[in-house]
Amino acid sequence: MTTIHKGQAPAKLDRNAFRLQFHRAFADPAYGHIAEALAQVEQVAWQAYDAGHKAPHTHPAGPGYADPTYALSDEWRATRDRLLQAEQRQKDPATPSRILLINGSARNDGTCPGEMSKSWRMVQWLRQTLQAPSPHGAQDVRVLDLSRLTSDYDQHIHPCKGCVSTAMPLCHWPCSCYPNHATRQVNDWMAQIYEEWVAAHGVIIVTPVYWYQAPSPLKLMIDRLVCADGGNPDPTSTQGKKAELAKEMELTGWPYPKHLAGRAYGVIVHGDVAGIESLRRNLSDWLSWMGLVPCGVQAELDRYVGYYQSYAQSHEELDRATAFQQEVRNVGRAVAATVARMRAGQHHQGDEGLARPRPK
């Protein structure tokens, strides 16, 4: 057995520090007339924090789990059940092909920037293209707008905690790190986002470049999808988050299941100065690593829009980029065509059926 290395985490908040942290969320004077009620809520929140009430609603896991008696989170089970239903629909040949369009930009006109993003406009072009009559039929198009993290009330994608680096089986599919009611790490959007990915036959990510990298909402989602690449579908096998058990399981032999493999993907990256090629490669490499299927050269697009021009006129530069607009639409067409061939059993890759010598 390997050693569990400890000593990094800070001490828990004491009673006074917790009170100060709690009340920072209610600095608006409008809360003043209910100060006594807030104090009562704070007392209950302290008790939940101090006792570590991560999952206050649980039931025995039941049949089909390694430990049927383990107190499994009701919220995790509900998410898992939705994923199983989504997977069943996705594999049903009678259902229409579903394409998930992901807007990776953090900008929208409902918050500080005051204007929609160019990525959002590209998503609309893709939606129009995919819903138009075609030889592959109209697609069931879903849109995931990650900019809502910046504008919606109490909407979160909490950061990945890195369980996979302790041992792969400690990373559960779907993620069981959230919600954590003891620390008020709640309202985690990923429970719904996992379902969107599982239900899709194809995924297209549209994103700008932020400082040579993916925008933070997109990167948060990417990190939280690590559980789709080797994640453990049975939290009872590790008794929740017991590192010792997870390490033992991985060292005994772990299959690293790819829970999203076999879905088609496209990528559109745009920028104004630098970084488009590296981000496009990063996204394509990540999606391919998870077992998603590339759809050809025209489905992986990186272009500059308004190269070294003012930010103020970037939408006008996009209006003038008519060839780029068609390239964006071609990404959608390529993904739709690949999905159609895959579902008809006509799309094959050269490495199909080959065992991975190093499955991680």
Side-chain angles (χ1 to χ4, degrees):
M1 172 58 68
T2 61
T3 302
I4 307 298
H5 293 75
K6 300 281 191 178
Q8 177 183 352
K12 293 183 67 173
L13 298 177
D14 62 27
R15 185 68 184 88
N16 189 56
F18 180 89
R19 182 182 296 108
L20 292 173
Q21 182 78 348
F22 177 89
H23 283 290
R24 287 192 180 102
F26 306 99
D28 192 322
Y31 291 105
H33 71 286
I34 59 168
E36 185 175 336
L38 278 176
Q40 293 176 327
V41 173
E42 187 272 339
Q43 175 64 26
V44 175
W46 161 255
Q47 292 168 352
Y49 171 75
D50 190 47
H53 289 174
K54 176 185 176 182
H57 300 288
T58 64
H59 285 89
Y65 288 93
D67 182 358
T69 67
Y70 180 80
L72 193 62
S73 163
D74 291 351
E75 290 171 291
W76 183 89
R77 190 198 301 267
T79 300
R80 189 284 313 262
D81 289 348
R82 289 196 302 272
L83 296 196
L84 292 177
Q85 293 167 7
E87 184 80 26
Q88 191 174 30
R89 291 195 304 271
Q90 198 263 0
K91 294 184 181 304
D92 183 351
T95 60
S97 295
R98 180 178 293 189
I99 309 294
L100 177 62
L101 306 178
I102 300 176
N103 173 31
S105 174
R107 180 165 68 133
N108 73 43
D109 54 333
T111 187
C112 303
E115 183 177 48
M116 71 170 61
S117 68
K118 295 185 290 297
S119 296
W120 177 252
R121 292 180 60 190
M122 296 173 205
V123 166
Q124 303 316 306
W125 299 339
L126 288 166
R127 190 210 298 258
Q128 294 164 4
T129 301
L130 290 166
Q131 290 180 334
S134 78
H136 312 298
Q139 310 294 309
D140 177 9
V141 180
R142 302 299 175 101
V143 174
L144 174 59
D145 182 7
L146 294 176
S147 77
R148 289 176 53 192
L149 281 181
T150 69
S151 59
D152 284 14
Y153 177 76
D154 209 18
Q155 181 87 294
H156 305 282
I157 295 178
H158 294 292
C160 175
K161 296 184 178 183
C163 298
V164 62
S165 293
T166 297
M168 188 76 247
L170 200 63
C171 182
H172 300 143
W173 169 251
C175 177
S176 66
C177 294
Y178 304 101
N180 185 331
H181 291 273
T183 53
R184 202 161 61 171
Q185 296 171 334
V186 296
N187 297 332
D188 183 45
W189 199 7
M190 285 305 298
Q192 288 76 46
I193 291 175
Y194 290 134
E195 185 178 357
E196 293 288 354
W197 276 81
V198 170
H201 298 95
V203 177
I204 302 175
I205 297 175
V206 184
T207 183
V209 178
Y210 284 12
W211 287 116
Y212 293 86
Q213 306 291 336
S216 52
L218 177 57
K219 186 59 168 64
L220 283 166
M221 182 193 71
I222 289 171
D223 288 353
R224 290 290 302 285
L225 280 164
V226 67
C227 58
D229 190 64
N232 179 4
D234 184 356
T236 76
S237 64
T238 55
Q239 293 290 293
K241 292 293 184 177
K242 290 189 177 179
E244 296 87 349
L245 290 176
K247 285 179 178 288
E248 183 179 351
M249 289 178 66
E250 186 171 29
L251 292 173
T252 300
W254 186 252
Y256 304 96
K258 293 184 177 293
H259 298 287
L260 294 175
R263 289 153 178 83
Y265 77 83
V267 171
I268 299 169
V269 176
H270 64 96
D272 53 70
V273 173
I276 58 171
E277 291 185 356
S278 59
L279 180 54
R280 187 260 303 160
R281 292 191 191 101
N282 289 344
L283 293 174
S284 295
D285 286 351
W286 162 63
L287 291 161
S288 293
W289 183 280
M290 290 206 302
L292 277 75
V293 178
C295 300
V297 173
Q298 291 193 65
E300 298 175 47
L301 180 65
D302 57 74
R303 292 290 184 268
Y304 290 110
V305 178
Y307 188 64
Y308 270 95
Q309 300 302 309
S310 70
Y311 295 112
Q313 293 183 309
S314 63
H315 274 286
E316 286 74 17
E317 294 289 345
L318 182 59
D319 291 337
R320 288 189 282 270
T322 54
F324 173 64
Q325 294 174 24
Q326 290 305 311
E327 288 177 315
V328 169
R329 294 178 184 275
N330 279 344
V331 173
R333 295 179 181 118
V335 171
T338 302
V339 166
R341 288 194 296 270
M342 289 171 61
R343 300 193 75 193
Q346 299 170 352
H347 185 85
H348 302 283
Q349 300 185 89
D351 61 354
E352 283 185 16
L354 296 180
R356 289 177 174 267
R358 295 187 288 182
K360 179 181 177 183

